[in-house]
Amino acid sequence: MAEESPKRRKANFNEAETEVLIEQVLKHEQLLFAAGPGRASPGQKRKVWELIRHKVNPVAACPRDVEDLKKRWRDLKRRDRSKLCRLSQGCGPPGPPALGLLLAPEEMPPAAAPPA
């Protein structure tokens, strides 16, 4: 009986994958994250995530599945919120999702801009 090698983790997301993921999620943000009576069904959301997966995989270091993309998006949002909190030093309400990932420091709102 052959020995099984331990499961290897996937490669980190590269910059191109992250950019495509952010671009596509923000493009479909209303469908994916809207609350209330106008929200999308789970089936519609699954189709949108599959569409995003098909856009990310051509630039990916290794094939990504929908769960990988959802986890990366959650991690980006969490990291961005904590970054904005540290920058503003007030830890008040965070800006829009992915603000710090999409804007350069000079483009950030005055409350979130790093000290000069």
Side-chain angles (χ1 to χ4, degrees), residues 8-21:
R8 298 191 48 103
R9 68 180 191 89
K10 291 184 177 181
N12 291 342
F13 274 73
N14 62 36
E15 195 172 318
E17 289 173 276
T18 302
E19 287 178 15
V20 172
L21 176 63

PDB file of all heavy atoms in Angstrom, residues 8-21:
ATOM      1  N   ARG A   8      -1.479  19.327   0.343  1.00  0.00           N
ATOM      2  CA  ARG A   8      -0.738  20.578   0.201  1.00  0.00           C
ATOM      3  C   ARG A   8      -1.728  21.716   0.021  1.00  0.00           C
ATOM      4  O   ARG A   8      -2.749  21.562  -0.614  1.00  0.00           O
ATOM      5  CB  ARG A   8       0.200  20.503  -0.985  1.00  0.00           C
ATOM      6  CG  ARG A   8       1.248  19.407  -0.796  1.00  0.00           C
ATOM      7  CD  ARG A   8       2.334  19.483  -1.815  1.00  0.00           C
ATOM      8  NE  ARG A   8       2.866  20.808  -1.973  1.00  0.00           N
ATOM      9  CZ  ARG A   8       4.027  21.228  -1.473  1.00  0.00           C
ATOM     10  NH1 ARG A   8       4.774  20.413  -0.776  1.00  0.00           N
ATOM     11  NH2 ARG A   8       4.464  22.456  -1.706  1.00  0.00           N
ATOM     12  N   ARG A   9      -1.376  22.861   0.572  1.00  0.00           N
ATOM     13  CA  ARG A   9      -2.254  24.010   0.440  1.00  0.00           C
ATOM     14  C   ARG A   9      -2.086  24.641  -0.938  1.00  0.00           C
ATOM     15  O   ARG A   9      -1.059  24.454  -1.603  1.00  0.00           O
ATOM     16  CB  ARG A   9      -1.993  25.023   1.550  1.00  0.00           C
ATOM     17  CG  ARG A   9      -0.658  25.715   1.471  1.00  0.00           C
ATOM     18  CD  ARG A   9      -0.519  26.689   2.633  1.00  0.00           C
ATOM     19  NE  ARG A   9       0.630  27.542   2.458  1.00  0.00           N
ATOM     20  CZ  ARG A   9       0.613  28.701   1.811  1.00  0.00           C
ATOM     21  NH1 ARG A   9      -0.499  29.123   1.260  1.00  0.00           N
ATOM     22  NH2 ARG A   9       1.694  29.426   1.699  1.00  0.00           N
ATOM     23  N   LYS A  10      -3.077  25.394  -1.332  1.00  0.00           N
ATOM     24  CA  LYS A  10      -3.012  26.083  -2.621  1.00  0.00           C
ATOM     25  C   LYS A  10      -2.083  27.282  -2.515  1.00  0.00           C
ATOM     26  O   LYS A  10      -1.811  27.779  -1.428  1.00  0.00           O
ATOM     27  CB  LYS A  10      -4.393  26.563  -3.038  1.00  0.00           C
ATOM     28  CG  LYS A  10      -5.332  25.437  -3.399  1.00  0.00           C
ATOM     29  CD  LYS A  10      -6.647  25.981  -3.890  1.00  0.00           C
ATOM     30  CE  LYS A  10      -7.542  24.828  -4.305  1.00  0.00           C
ATOM     31  NZ  LYS A  10      -8.821  25.308  -4.816  1.00  0.00           N
ATOM     32  N   ALA A  11      -1.633  27.756  -3.658  1.00  0.00           N
ATOM     33  CA  ALA A  11      -0.766  28.938  -3.707  1.00  0.00           C
ATOM     34  C   ALA A  11      -1.542  30.164  -3.258  1.00  0.00           C
ATOM     35  O   ALA A  11      -2.774  30.227  -3.382  1.00  0.00           O
ATOM     36  CB  ALA A  11      -0.259  29.144  -5.130  1.00  0.00           C
ATOM     37  N   ASN A  12      -0.819  31.143  -2.730  1.00  0.00           N
ATOM     38  CA  ASN A  12      -1.450  32.406  -2.340  1.00  0.00           C
ATOM     39  C   ASN A  12      -2.060  33.078  -3.565  1.00  0.00           C
ATOM     40  O   ASN A  12      -1.599  32.873  -4.693  1.00  0.00           O
ATOM     41  CB  ASN A  12      -0.421  33.354  -1.731  1.00  0.00           C
ATOM     42  CG  ASN A  12       0.070  32.893  -0.385  1.00  0.00           C
ATOM     43  OD1 ASN A  12      -0.550  32.066   0.275  1.00  0.00           O
ATOM     44  ND2 ASN A  12       1.198  33.420   0.036  1.00  0.00           N
ATOM     45  N   PHE A  13      -3.062  33.901  -3.328  1.00  0.00           N
ATOM     46  CA  PHE A  13      -3.647  34.681  -4.409  1.00  0.00           C
ATOM     47  C   PHE A  13      -2.602  35.673  -4.889  1.00  0.00           C
ATOM     48  O   PHE A  13      -1.942  36.324  -4.078  1.00  0.00           O
ATOM     49  CB  PHE A  13      -4.871  35.455  -3.911  1.00  0.00           C
ATOM     50  CG  PHE A  13      -6.150  34.670  -3.946  1.00  0.00           C
ATOM     51  CD1 PHE A  13      -6.378  33.661  -3.037  1.00  0.00           C
ATOM     52  CD2 PHE A  13      -7.123  34.953  -4.887  1.00  0.00           C
ATOM     53  CE1 PHE A  13      -7.554  32.943  -3.059  1.00  0.00           C
ATOM     54  CE2 PHE A  13      -8.308  34.238  -4.919  1.00  0.00           C
ATOM     55  CZ  PHE A  13      -8.523  33.231  -4.001  1.00  0.00           C
ATOM     56  N   ASN A  14      -2.449  35.798  -6.207  1.00  0.00           N
ATOM     57  CA  ASN A  14      -1.535  36.803  -6.730  1.00  0.00           C
ATOM     58  C   ASN A  14      -2.295  38.117  -6.938  1.00  0.00           C
ATOM     59  O   ASN A  14      -3.514  38.186  -6.752  1.00  0.00           O
ATOM     60  CB  ASN A  14      -0.840  36.318  -8.011  1.00  0.00           C
ATOM     61  CG  ASN A  14      -1.801  36.048  -9.146  1.00  0.00           C
ATOM     62  OD1 ASN A  14      -2.801  36.735  -9.319  1.00  0.00           O
ATOM     63  ND2 ASN A  14      -1.507  35.032  -9.936  1.00  0.00           N
ATOM     64  N   GLU A  15      -1.577  39.154  -7.289  1.00  0.00           N
ATOM     65  CA  GLU A  15      -2.173  40.477  -7.416  1.00  0.00           C
ATOM     66  C   GLU A  15      -3.253  40.525  -8.487  1.00  0.00           C
ATOM     67  O   GLU A  15      -4.308  41.138  -8.300  1.00  0.00           O
ATOM     68  CB  GLU A  15      -1.082  41.505  -7.726  1.00  0.00           C
ATOM     69  CG  GLU A  15      -1.526  42.927  -7.533  1.00  0.00           C
ATOM     70  CD  GLU A  15      -0.368  43.898  -7.669  1.00  0.00           C
ATOM     71  OE1 GLU A  15       0.723  43.619  -7.145  1.00  0.00           O
ATOM     72  OE2 GLU A  15      -0.584  44.945  -8.296  1.00  0.00           O
ATOM     73  N   ALA A  16      -3.019  39.848  -9.613  1.00  0.00           N
ATOM     74  CA  ALA A  16      -3.991  39.860 -10.710  1.00  0.00           C
ATOM     75  C   ALA A  16      -5.299  39.187 -10.287  1.00  0.00           C
ATOM     76  O   ALA A  16      -6.391  39.687 -10.585  1.00  0.00           O
ATOM     77  CB  ALA A  16      -3.415  39.161 -11.930  1.00  0.00           C
ATOM     78  N   GLU A  17      -5.186  38.059  -9.574  1.00  0.00           N
ATOM     79  CA  GLU A  17      -6.384  37.362  -9.087  1.00  0.00           C
ATOM     80  C   GLU A  17      -7.178  38.266  -8.147  1.00  0.00           C
ATOM     81  O   GLU A  17      -8.407  38.355  -8.236  1.00  0.00           O
ATOM     82  CB  GLU A  17      -6.008  36.101  -8.311  1.00  0.00           C
ATOM     83  CG  GLU A  17      -5.469  34.975  -9.146  1.00  0.00           C
ATOM     84  CD  GLU A  17      -4.974  33.850  -8.269  1.00  0.00           C
ATOM     85  OE1 GLU A  17      -3.820  33.926  -7.804  1.00  0.00           O
ATOM     86  OE2 GLU A  17      -5.745  32.908  -8.040  1.00  0.00           O
ATOM     87  N   THR A  18      -6.473  38.916  -7.238  1.00  0.00           N
ATOM     88  CA  THR A  18      -7.128  39.776  -6.262  1.00  0.00           C
ATOM     89  C   THR A  18      -7.823  40.940  -6.951  1.00  0.00           C
ATOM     90  O   THR A  18      -8.958  41.286  -6.614  1.00  0.00           O
ATOM     91  CB  THR A  18      -6.103  40.280  -5.236  1.00  0.00           C
ATOM     92  OG1 THR A  18      -5.496  39.152  -4.602  1.00  0.00           O
ATOM     93  CG2 THR A  18      -6.763  41.141  -4.178  1.00  0.00           C
ATOM     94  N   GLU A  19      -7.167  41.542  -7.928  1.00  0.00           N
ATOM     95  CA  GLU A  19      -7.770  42.666  -8.657  1.00  0.00           C
ATOM     96  C   GLU A  19      -9.042  42.237  -9.379  1.00  0.00           C
ATOM     97  O   GLU A  19     -10.058  42.930  -9.326  1.00  0.00           O
ATOM     98  CB  GLU A  19      -6.772  43.250  -9.652  1.00  0.00           C
ATOM     99  CG  GLU A  19      -5.674  44.053  -9.002  1.00  0.00           C
ATOM    100  CD  GLU A  19      -4.663  44.576 -10.020  1.00  0.00           C
ATOM    101  OE1 GLU A  19      -4.954  44.569 -11.236  1.00  0.00           O
ATOM    102  OE2 GLU A  19      -3.582  44.989  -9.577  1.00  0.00           O
ATOM    103  N   VAL A  20      -8.986  41.095 -10.065  1.00  0.00           N
ATOM    104  CA  VAL A  20     -10.161  40.610 -10.792  1.00  0.00           C
ATOM    105  C   VAL A  20     -11.280  40.283  -9.800  1.00  0.00           C
ATOM    106  O   VAL A  20     -12.444  40.624 -10.043  1.00  0.00           O
ATOM    107  CB  VAL A  20      -9.813  39.381 -11.665  1.00  0.00           C
ATOM    108  CG1 VAL A  20     -11.060  38.751 -12.255  1.00  0.00           C
ATOM    109  CG2 VAL A  20      -8.838  39.772 -12.763  1.00  0.00           C
ATOM    110  N   LEU A  21     -10.939  39.658  -8.693  1.00  0.00           N
ATOM    111  CA  LEU A  21     -11.937  39.322  -7.679  1.00  0.00           C
ATOM    112  C   LEU A  21     -12.622  40.586  -7.163  1.00  0.00           C
ATOM    113  O   LEU A  21     -13.860  40.662  -7.123  1.00  0.00           O
ATOM    114  CB  LEU A  21     -11.298  38.556  -6.527  1.00  0.00           C
ATOM    115  CG  LEU A  21     -12.223  38.235  -5.349  1.00  0.00           C
ATOM    116  CD1 LEU A  21     -13.359  37.317  -5.761  1.00  0.00           C
ATOM    117  CD2 LEU A  21     -11.422  37.613  -4.211  1.00  0.00           C
TER     118      LEU A  21
END
